Amino acid sequence: MNRSRLPLLGLRAFEATARHQSVSNAAAELCVTPGAVSQQVKLLEEVVGVPLLRRKGRSVELTDAGQVLRPALTQAFQTIELTLNAIARGPRHDTLKLCLLPTLAEKWLVPRLSRFHGAHPELDIQLMTSFREIRFEAEDVDMASFMGTDVPPGLDGLRLFDDAFQPVCSPAFLRDTCPLATPADLSKATLLHSVRRMDDWQRWLDHAGLTKLKPKRRLSFENSSLAIQGAVDGLGVAIVQRAYAVELLKVGTLVAPFDLVARSDNGYYLVWSTARAATPAFRSFLQWIQQEVRSSTT
């Protein structure tokens, strides 16, 4: 259907009716009469050539075609609403909003932020954490994290570090609780891991040639940050991203009992929409984070 002929009033009337499953409630939301809503939906059905609603007394239910159309319309109207709200608020010139994986934020970015604020005291960072994928077209977020083999289509991005993981534990655990001379000694240890990285231990053990090793016990955590803290507290040996533990390894809070590091083709990325990249805050932060990535890989 040609965009110039889209029945916008009918689409809005149908979406509200389908969301409320009520003509009268849709009419109240749109500030029109129930008869006007019914008429607009009827005209829409004539245009598309199939019924979208079934009337059942005072309520309605969606046909198969209506069930296909409803979520697409709801998402489209939400995107329009969010975009208009963002325009009404005006551009943010001195604030950058980031939404990152929790452990990426806590163990990789936050320890570096003092350097950014030292160089750019006039700029503010708003840092949120989430495991979900960010929809830049519908959310007020400038940059987000992503894990995969490449930047998702339609976005720009920067690869922060590779997916490289290895076992770590506290010096006291290694010295007093469970000396680990070879990887096979892990059978005597408690193995710690994130529930979101369930396969990392097995992938590392396969890499070490210990496919059938059975540990003393396993202890899982909601995220990698908790698994790292468990290792610091002497609960066992954690399998963690090398990038998350590198500073703790440098100062001796954690030790790596084995040099073997397992890797995948994935990487951890900072991604963004091209439309978001115009503000001074964005450009300053991107330049700084690029330097941090270069420094961490040299």
Side-chain angles (χ1 to χ4, degrees), residues 162 164-166 168 240-247 249 256 258 261:
D162 296 339
F165 45 95
Q166 71 179 129
V168 297
V240 301
Q241 285 294 318
R242 175 82 183 181
Y244 294 158
V246 64
E247 294 302 322
L249 292 168
F258 314 109
V261 177

Side-chain angles (χ1 to χ4, degrees), residues 140-172:
D140 190 19
V141 174
D142 294 298
M143 291 181 168
S145 56
F146 174 78
M147 183 181 178
T149 57
D150 204 350
V151 176
L155 299 178
D156 287 334
L158 172 68
R159 190 173 178 116
L160 301 177
F161 52 85
D162 296 339
D163 182 29
F165 45 95
Q166 71 179 129
V168 297
C169 62
S170 71

Side-chain angles (χ1 to χ4, degrees), residues 13 16-28 37 58-61:
T17 303
R19 180 160 36 83
H20 290 292
Q21 294 189 334
S22 166
V23 173
S24 60
N25 289 343
V37 170
R58 294 185 177 180
S59 64
V60 296
E61 65 180 22

Side-chain angles (χ1 to χ4, degrees), residues 10 39 46 54 66 91 121 139 144 148 157 168 234 264 270 274:
Q39 181 65 21
E46 291 177 357
R54 296 189 188 94
E139 301 184 57
V168 297
S264 78
L270 196 63
T274 304

Side-chain angles (χ1 to χ4, degrees), residues 8 26 29 59 68 71 135 150 154 161 169 222 252 254 260 286 298:
L8 297 178
E29 177 183 311
S59 64
V68 172
R135 294 167 47 238
D150 204 350
F161 52 85
C169 62
E222 169 65 18
L254 290 175
L260 183 64
L286 180 58
T298 55

